[in-house]
């Protein structure tokens, strides 16, 4: 099961989306909910891939980068002269994590495949 979570989080994410779409009436709310839940899936997959590539536990580094998104988002809201609302900052930061982790997973997956082919 671990191999599937690390290798194919998009497939698992899509299956959860299709299941929730049958249950929930509005597809927009379903997409937001699945994206929010998908952050946990992609974070775990990226941490495992990163650990297998560098062969040491560096999940703390990924966690630090992900945690840095929240204050950067607050600073960005302040620069745009918006009031910093912590609930809004958390929701936007969480969704930015989704947008950060999905391409990071694809890059780490490609690097892992290339490393495996070289060795």
């Amino acid at each position: 099961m671990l191999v599937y979570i690390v290798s194919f989080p998009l497939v698992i994410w899509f299956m959860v989306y299709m299941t929730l779409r049958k249950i929930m009436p509005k597809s927009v709310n379903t997409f937001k909910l699945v994206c929010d839940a998908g952050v946990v899936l992609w974070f775990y997959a990226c941490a495992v891939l990163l650990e297998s590539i560098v062969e040491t536990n560096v999940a703390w580094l990924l966690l630090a980068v992900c945690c840095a998104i929240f204050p950067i988002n607050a600073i960005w809201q302040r620069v745009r002269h918006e009031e910093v609302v912590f609930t809004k900052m958390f929701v936007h930061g969480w969704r930015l994590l989704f947008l950060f982790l999905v391409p990071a997973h694809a890059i780490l997956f490609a690097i892992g495949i290339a490393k495996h082919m070289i060795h």
Side-chain angles (χ1 to χ4, degrees):
M1 183 65 176
L2 176 66
V3 173
Y4 294 113
I5 291 173
V6 172
S7 302
F8 306 109
L10 184 63
V11 174
I12 295 170
W13 180 84
F14 186 72
M15 289 181 349
V16 171
Y17 173 72
M18 293 308 288
T19 304
L20 286 179
R21 191 163 177 205
K22 297 288 184 187
I23 297 170
M24 296 178 70
K26 293 188 177 182
S27 63
V28 174
N29 292 338
T30 303
F31 185 75
K32 289 179 183 178
L33 181 65
V34 173
C35 285
D36 291 344
V39 169
V40 176
L41 176 69
W42 260 286
F43 180 81
Y44 179 73
C46 287
V48 171
L49 283 171
L50 193 59
E51 184 177 340
S52 69
I53 290 171
V54 297
E55 297 174 357
T56 185
N57 187 3
V58 290
W60 59 270
L61 181 63
L62 182 63
L63 182 63
V65 169
C66 289
C67 287
I69 287 178
F70 294 101
I72 290 170
N73 186 23
I75 292 168
W76 178 250
Q77 284 180 4
R78 199 61 164 150
V79 166
R80 292 188 338 198
H81 302 292
E82 293 181 14
E83 182 181 345
V84 178
V85 180
F86 290 107
T87 55
K88 183 179 177 183
M89 180 191 71
F90 183 76
V91 169
H92 286 150
W94 194 257
R95 296 212 173 118
L96 282 172
L97 277 176
F98 180 79
L99 294 175
F100 167 73
L101 289 171
V102 171
H105 176 267
I107 292 167
L108 288 172
F109 189 75
I111 291 171
I113 295 293
K115 183 180 177 186
H116 181 70
M117 289 178 140
I118 290 173
H119 288 70

